[in-house]
Amino acid sequence: MKPQTEAVLILLGAVALVWLVVLPFYLALPDLVPAHLNAAGEVNRWGSKLEALALPLIFTFVLLATLPILLVAPIEWSEATVRGLAVFAAVGAFFALLQPLGLYLTAGDGPAFARLLDAGIGLLIATIGLGLPALVRTAPPQPICGFPSSAPVPDLETRVKGARIGGRAIAAHGGVVVLLALFGVASAWITAYLVGGLVVLGVFLCVYLKRTLEPRLPR
């Protein structure tokens, strides 16, 4: 099978799988579900269960909009490209399932729903971190962290090595978010750690990678 055909089937399969999972849970939801939570994880707005379909619909739109690009864009197709798209589809599918499955599993319990969402976001970040090397293999060559530099653009193996180091750090960060959620830490604190940690981690990794990988590049 051609890599392009395989990629299209992966994206279509991801969309079909999401809706096969979502619809039974959606039909089992009550008419009113938690639609918004405050910083303490308490429900401060209830809404129609139709709102539980927002993320699956966004996921479907993004993947279907990607298909024409895959068919006409001048992409250099390879197994690495297919793996990168598979990671993209898996992360998107996981994100799309968070809200409807979370609402069903927590039965409208605001704090429990907030903990489940926090844990799910942590798992999502960990998945992105672990899949980062595969995504980098499909991306066009660019300087480390995207910043202009007098050094030449790193070769593929150097970029993958940097992505592996950064990906493990991001995955560990996501794992800590999951642990905080499981131990019942307030959502406001988890959000602060999540956002602040990603900013600090991003700056640290860019500085570290530029200092450790860039000097090895010929000038």
Side-chain angles (χ1 to χ4, degrees):
M1 183 184 299
K2 294 181 179 179
Q4 185 183 35
T5 304
E6 188 177 353
V8 170
L9 291 178
I10 286 173
L11 296 189
L12 291 176
V15 171
L17 179 62
V18 163
W19 286 103
L20 284 173
V21 174
V22 164
L23 286 177
F25 289 103
Y26 169 77
L27 295 174
L29 288 175
D31 292 333
L32 290 177
V33 297
H36 191 270
L37 305 173
N38 61 22
E42 299 167 342
V43 180
N44 57 12
R45 184 173 76 83
W46 294 78
S48 167
K49 68 178 184 179
L50 285 171
E51 295 188 35
L53 297 179
L55 295 182
L57 286 172
I58 292 172
F59 170 75
T60 301
F61 173 78
V62 170
L63 258 66
L64 293 183
T66 302
L67 288 178
I69 299 174
L70 297 181
L71 294 175
V72 301
I75 299 173
E76 294 185 7
W77 288 101
S78 66
E79 288 303 316
T81 310
V82 174
R83 285 196 300 270
L85 284 171
V87 172
F88 167 71
V91 170
F94 185 86
F95 184 69
L97 294 173
L98 267 180
Q99 187 179 14
L101 266 65
L103 289 170
Y104 175 82
L105 293 173
T106 57
D109 184 336
F113 181 50
R115 286 195 300 274
L116 188 63
L117 280 183
D118 290 334
I121 291 172
L123 284 173
L124 181 64
I125 292 172
T127 303
I128 292 173
L130 294 175
L132 195 59
L135 293 175
V136 167
R137 287 187 180 277
T138 67
Q142 56 183 332
I144 294 172
C145 294
F147 296 116
S149 172
S150 58
V153 176
D155 59 27
L156 178 60
E157 289 309 311
T158 301
R159 299 200 308 274
V160 170
K161 180 180 179 181
R164 193 174 294 117
I165 294 171
R168 288 171 180 169
I170 292 170
H173 183 61
V176 173
V177 171
V178 174
L179 290 176
L180 292 175
L182 293 178
F183 280 102
V185 176
S187 290
W189 288 109
I190 293 178
T191 301
Y193 167 79
L194 174 64
V195 176
L198 285 176
V199 171
V200 172
L201 193 59
V203 172
F204 173 80
L205 284 173
C206 281
V207 172
Y208 171 77
L209 292 175
K210 286 181 74 66
R211 288 186 175 180
T212 56
L213 298 182
E214 214 171 60
R216 302 177 186 177
L217 302 175
R219 294 180 182 272

